[in-house]
Amino acid sequence: MAVNPELSPRRHQQADSEDALIHEQLRHFGIDPASPFGQHLAGAALNLHRTNQDIHALWQTTRDSLDSLPAEERISRFNAKKFLAFQLAKVLDNLQAPFRAQWRQLELTQSARLAKGAYPLFDRVPMLFGANPPIVRTATYVYACTEWIDDAFHGRESTHPIYSRLLNPTALALANTLVELEAGPDSADYLALTFNSGMAAIDALLGTLLERGDILLASRNLYGGVHQLLQDYYARPEKLGIRLEWFDGTEARDFRQALDRVRAEHREALAAGARLRLYLESPCNPHGLVLDVPGICRLAHQAGALVMLDATLATPVLFRPLLQAEPAERPDFVVHSCTKDMAGTGSTTAGAVIGRQPLMFLPKGEPGWQQTLFWQCYYVKGAFLDADKAYEVLTGLKTLELRMLAKGINTLVLARFLASHPALRVSSHALDRHPNAALRRRLLRYGLPCPLFTFELEGAGLPRDAFVRFFDALEPAFGHMVSLGQTNTLVLCPALTSHSELDEPALAAAGIHPTSIRVAVGIEPVRELIAHLVLAARRHLDPVSPGFSQGFMAPAEVDALVEQLTLDIHRARLAQQTRLAELL
């Protein structure tokens, strides 16, 4: 009867018995089975093979029974498996002393030992149980044996890293965490790849999915860097020559009109084999508005288009598009700039793409493997995320929900405070009268707004130099930084910074004006932000527009608003939490 050869150095030679499997291993390394060393090695190897079989059976039992187990049994089984991991690690640790003694017996000079350093497999076991994932700073890895490394290069052995450009344990820990956050119970069907920045992730995805002559339909309000990437690279005839189209609005009906127009205009190209792709950003930069992602995905999939969604601004706390009940309403790929709220501190850059496994990775030789993101981009281009950055994002994720909650409350207060001034025009779905507010309430968790919005002073009739002085005076309460998603509140003028790549017609189409100010809301006490803004207005706007600073709501109204909205959101959060009786 054939046995599982998974642990054998000759795993592709099907042994017909356990004894044959063990003797095959000894022969491979030139070990005499009759020697004391050979006998003990054979016994250890046999027990490992049998343990591996039991663990496979344990996994199958877990899959078959997990959903039907009572809560206390789930806890017991989890902890039993946790202890089993410690037992396996103890066995490995017990191997280290004889392993190290054997290493010392090798005829290596001091010069050679200095050059090589400590052998990589020594002293690694305690690292397995660090409360935080280890930062694995290495470019290369030790091979197990020829057949295992051959499988690794073909993508058939995930536990055998070969090069950190392809797989680093710290980056892998982040990728697995992101999949859990986005896909939840469907995580087994998804895979994430991590990159050194959000733009690197976006470029990797576009470069994989787009071919010359394809049609890309994109939502109008995009981050300026993505607009430039699409317009100045992918759509340029001498580059990829894609046909770039835009759609305005946020509702599914807006997309349907744009889709019908694009299919009519490009009927011949589509008939000749051009493919339709859709790129969305929701919530969008700079106004923070949300699109009807489920409705738009449904229409796009009916038209045979793959959907890419940049969900950076929502984070998995506010919106989880991969958990929509209907598969047709889910995007095919979700992109994140982890530089923003996921890391949260502005100390690192990182990006990620999450998609269904057959689109992200397949082992070499399986049908469609060459079209996956891993082989088309990740394997050859090297835009991988290094271990230190992955660790920073993993650390930031621990406080993500609390930060997004605080930012959402601050956004509700700040947007409504600014909108109370008759000379300011605020573009934020935090305002109940805003056309996008209904989608915000329907799609975003707790009805919280995206913590990014704009306001502009075009209607205030202010001299340009007064506006500039006012903006410059917003420091330090409002940080002058070209980013978003940090713990501190940041402001910029999109026309001059984040969207400076857009020409005047494109800026107008995106609703961006010379006096537009983008606010990326942080977690500071919101009353301190408001007080600083009023003081800056007194100093720089009142002299040219007498009484300007008095146009905002009164301080007592602000205090009442802060208390009311804070309590409302926390009550909504409590209402969504599982009751104790259900947990028991």
Side-chain angles (χ1 to χ4, degrees):
M1 179 180 176
V3 293
N4 186 350
E6 183 180 25
L7 300 186
S8 172
R10 304 295 302 278
R11 53 170 48 171
H12 298 303
Q13 315 298 315
Q14 191 71 23
D16 58 5
S17 69
E18 289 180 334
D19 285 341
L21 197 65
I22 302 309
H23 281 82
E24 178 181 86
Q25 181 168 337
L26 269 61
R27 284 196 306 274
H28 184 79
F29 294 104
I31 305 298
D32 179 5
S35 68
F37 182 87
Q39 291 176 21
H40 291 304
L41 178 61
L46 178 62
N47 285 325
L48 285 174
H49 283 284
R50 289 175 175 173
T51 298
N52 191 46
Q53 294 289 88
D54 284 333
I55 287 175
H56 278 293
L58 195 62
W59 174 221
Q60 185 59 52
T61 301
T62 299
R63 282 185 291 197
D64 292 344
S65 63
L66 191 59
D67 291 340
S68 61
L69 291 175
E72 61 270 24
E73 184 68 16
R74 294 182 186 184
I75 294 172
S76 296
R77 292 193 181 188
F78 175 84
N79 283 308
K81 289 169 187 168
K82 171 195 166 190
F83 184 68
L84 184 61
F86 275 88
Q87 289 176 299
L88 292 170
K90 184 60 180 175
V91 171
L92 186 58
D93 186 59
N94 288 338
L95 177 63
Q96 296 310 298
F99 192 17
R100 195 186 299 273
Q102 198 77 49
W103 167 255
R104 294 192 187 106
Q105 285 185 325
L106 299 178
E107 295 181 358
L108 296 174
T109 65
Q110 185 184 53
S111 298
R113 291 183 185 276
L114 286 170
K116 293 177 181 297
Y119 195 72
L121 296 186
F122 295 150
D123 305 318
R124 297 294 192 266
V125 176
M127 180 177 67
L128 295 173
F129 302 106
N132 291 305
I135 302 175
V136 182
R137 293 190 182 106
T138 187
T140 55
Y141 300 83
V142 176
Y143 293 174
C145 59
T146 301
E147 286 197 6
W148 284 35
I149 196 62
D150 181 58
D151 282 348
F153 267 93
H154 283 80
R156 299 181 186 278
E157 182 48 73
S158 60
T159 59
H160 198 328
I162 54 178
Y163 198 44
S164 272
R165 175 164 61 82
L166 307 177
L167 182 65
N168 174 282
T170 316
L172 180 62
L174 173 60
N176 289 336
T177 300
L178 294 178
V179 169
E180 290 282 346
L181 290 174
E182 280 288 8
D186 296 332
S187 294
D189 299 328
Y190 286 89
L191 192 69
L193 295 177
T194 55
F195 298 83
N196 248 327
S197 70
M199 284 302 299
I202 291 167
D203 182 49
L205 183 57
L206 291 170
T208 299
L209 294 188
L210 294 175
E211 295 179 0
R212 178 169 290 277
D214 281 349
I215 301 156
L216 180 67
L217 180 54
S219 52
R220 174 72 66 182
N221 288 298
L222 298 177
Y223 167 56
V226 177
H227 188 282
Q228 184 178 26
L229 179 66
L230 295 177
Q231 195 92 312
D232 296 343
Y233 181 80
Y234 283 98
R236 282 172 60 183
E238 66 271 28
K239 296 294 185 180
L240 209 58
I242 65 163
R243 298 170 171 90
L244 180 59
E245 299 284 352
W246 302 96
F247 79 89
D248 296 287
T250 60
E251 302 284 350
R253 61 178 177 270
D254 302 317
F255 173 73
R256 184 192 292 276
Q257 293 174 0
L259 179 63
D260 291 343
R261 170 179 55 81
V262 167
R263 294 173 78 182
E265 290 178 2
H266 298 283
R267 183 180 296 108
E268 292 183 6
L270 289 167
R275 300 165 315 164
L276 180 62
R277 303 291 194 235
L278 176 61
Y279 186 91
L280 306 175
E281 186 176 305
S282 178
C284 64
N285 190 340
H287 306 300
L289 309 182
V290 294
L291 307 182
D292 183 0
V293 171
I296 291 171
C297 286
R298 184 176 61 252
L299 294 172
H301 288 140
Q302 289 172 0
L306 284 176
V307 181
M308 299 166 270
L309 170 66
D310 182 343
T312 295
L313 294 173
T315 79
V317 171
L318 295 187
F319 184 46
R320 302 174 81 183
L322 299 181
L323 288 182
Q324 292 298 307
E326 294 296 326
E329 295 185 343
R330 305 169 189 167
D332 298 287
F333 298 93
V334 172
V335 182
H336 283 288
S337 172
C338 305
T339 309
K340 310 303 190 299
D341 282 297
M342 285 187 173
T345 60
S347 59
T348 195
T349 61
V353 178
I354 304 163
R356 283 197 166 272
Q357 190 141 353
L359 298 173
M360 299 291 287
F361 171 81
L362 291 169
K364 274 186 182 178
E366 291 193 9
W369 72 272
Q370 291 173 306
Q371 280 70 53
T372 62
L373 183 63
F374 179 87
W375 295 107
Q376 276 212 24
C377 173
Y378 211 66
Y379 185 73
V380 296
K381 292 186 177 179
F384 72 101
L385 182 66
D386 66 75
D388 292 83
K389 290 184 174 184
Y391 182 86
E392 288 200 48
V393 179
L394 281 164
T395 302
L397 287 172
K398 293 180 178 182
T399 59
L400 177 61
E401 182 167 348
L402 295 176
R403 286 185 281 112
M404 294 303 290
L405 194 70
K407 289 184 177 193
I409 294 169
N410 280 357
T411 303
L412 287 168
V413 174
L414 193 54
R416 294 178 188 188
F417 170 79
L418 290 167
S420 70
H421 199 292
L424 300 185
R425 182 175 177 272
V426 178
S427 181
S428 172
H429 59 204
L431 308 175
D432 286 334
R433 67 175 183 272
H434 194 279
N436 196 235
L439 277 176
R440 180 257 297 175
R441 288 190 291 266
R442 176 161 70 89
L443 294 179
L444 300 189
R445 193 175 181 187
Y446 313 131
L448 283 170
C450 170
L452 187 81
F453 68 93
T454 61
F455 71 97
E456 45 101 346
L457 292 83
E458 292 294 300
L462 298 170
R464 177 66 181 173
D465 63 335
F467 168 77
V468 170
R469 289 197 302 273
F470 166 73
F471 180 81
D472 288 348
L474 292 177
E475 274 276 13
F478 296 83
H480 288 165
M481 301 177 196
V482 186
S483 190
L484 54 90
Q486 299 182 184
T487 51
N488 54 322
T489 299
L490 310 176
V491 291
L492 56 74
C493 293
L496 303 177
T497 53
S498 64
H499 291 69
S500 58
E501 297 87 359
L502 279 65
D503 57 23
E504 288 190 15
L507 286 170
I512 298 171
H513 306 282
T515 62
S516 292
I517 296 176
R518 189 190 77 180
V519 185
V521 183
I523 63 173
E524 309 97 326
V526 69
R527 280 176 275 217
E528 293 181 19
L529 296 173
I530 290 172
H532 188 101
L533 188 144
V534 172
L535 292 172
R538 283 182 189 173
R539 170 71 67 178
H540 299 289
L541 301 185
D542 283 359
V544 298
S545 180
F548 186 95
S549 64
Q550 298 174 22
F552 297 105
M553 66 172 64
E557 292 180 83
V558 174
D559 291 336
L561 185 64
V562 171
E563 292 176 16
Q564 175 197 329
L565 291 174
T566 301
L567 291 173
D568 287 349
I569 294 303
H570 281 284
R571 287 192 185 103
R573 184 176 184 235
L574 286 171
Q576 286 194 12
Q577 292 178 355
T578 307
R579 298 298 180 186
L580 180 58
E582 297 175 54
L583 293 171
L584 296 173

